[in-house]
Amino acid sequence: MKKITTRNMVLIALLSGVSYLFYIMEFNIAGPLKFDFSDLFVMVAGYSLGVVPGILVALIKNIIHFLGYRSAGLIGEFTNFTFAVMIMLPIALIKANRNRNRIALAIFTIVVVSVGINIFNYFVSMPIYGIPRESRIPMILAIYLQFNLIKTSLLMVLFHLIRPLVDKLK
């Protein structure tokens, strides 16, 4: 993390607030699957300010959502937090400068996050929702994997489109 300055604290608060606003404008896809653009601001915080501010933005966004607006129960926010941190970490830790490296990083992130969040769903989310063990893998392969691949890909494309603007935050 960069130095703790008033500017960085204001940026964390601002990105958390905007992220929360985008979180409440979610689109219901099917059952517990919801799509929103709030994780984009977690990615911006991680890329421009560092890993800890990125985690703080994800945490603040989910705490506010849990306390106030259409909470999905604690597991919904915990799953969203896990996804946001997973997609932010490669972007915050690996600074790719050339286009070829950016594309490789995006593909790596898409694959790792999609597989990782489905492992999380299998062992954490689905048991809490009471989904029987024998139907978890078919559900993940039929629904969750495609959803997470599309969501992660779309967020990565959007992040790389706004990356020149984000570079000015540094």
Side-chain angles (χ1 to χ4, degrees), residues 85-142:
V85 170
M86 287 176 85
I87 198 169
M88 177 269 305
L89 281 175
I91 293 168
L93 295 175
I94 304 169
K95 303 294 183 186
N97 293 326
R98 295 188 353 213
N99 278 340
R100 182 187 310 165
N101 295 344
R102 287 185 195 136
I103 292 169
L105 178 62
I107 293 169
F108 171 78
T109 303
I110 290 165
V111 170
V112 169
V113 170
S114 296
V115 170
I117 199 65
N118 284 310
I119 291 170
F120 177 86
N121 283 334
Y122 182 85
F123 288 108
V124 180
S125 299
M126 290 179 164
I128 291 174
Y129 282 119
I131 298 171
R133 182 170 291 215
E134 58 274 356
S135 61
R136 291 182 200 163
I137 294 290
M139 282 180 71
I140 286 173
L141 293 176

Side-chain angles (χ1 to χ4, degrees), residues 20-155:
Y20 168 71
L21 290 175
F22 275 83
Y23 194 11
I24 62 174
M25 292 188 286
E26 60 196 3
F27 307 102
N28 193 0
I29 304 297
L33 296 178
K34 294 181 171 92
F35 183 84
D36 61 76
F37 293 102
S38 66
D39 301 321
L40 185 63
F41 301 97
V42 175
M43 296 163 68
V44 168
Y47 178 78
S48 62
L49 301 173
V51 172
V52 174
I55 291 171
L56 286 173
V57 169
L59 184 65
I60 292 168
K61 160 188 84 153
N62 281 289
I63 288 172
I64 294 171
H65 193 266
F66 176 70
L67 293 176
Y69 184 82
R70 294 191 309 204
S71 175
L74 192 54
I75 189 60
E77 280 76 19
F78 187 56
T79 303
N80 183 276
F81 174 78
T82 303
F83 178 83
V85 170
M86 287 176 85
I87 198 169
M88 177 269 305
L89 281 175
I91 293 168
L93 295 175
I94 304 169
K95 303 294 183 186
N97 293 326
R98 295 188 353 213
N99 278 340
R100 182 187 310 165
N101 295 344
R102 287 185 195 136
I103 292 169
L105 178 62
I107 293 169
F108 171 78
T109 303
I110 290 165
V111 170
V112 169
V113 170
S114 296
V115 170
I117 199 65
N118 284 310
I119 291 170
F120 177 86
N121 283 334
Y122 182 85
F123 288 108
V124 180
S125 299
M126 290 179 164
I128 291 174
Y129 282 119
I131 298 171
R133 182 170 291 215
E134 58 274 356
S135 61
R136 291 182 200 163
I137 294 290
M139 282 180 71
I140 286 173
L141 293 176
I143 301 168
Y144 287 82
L145 184 61
Q146 290 83 358
F147 173 77
N148 288 318
L149 281 169
I150 292 168
K151 180 178 179 179
T152 308
S153 299
L154 186 56
L155 287 169

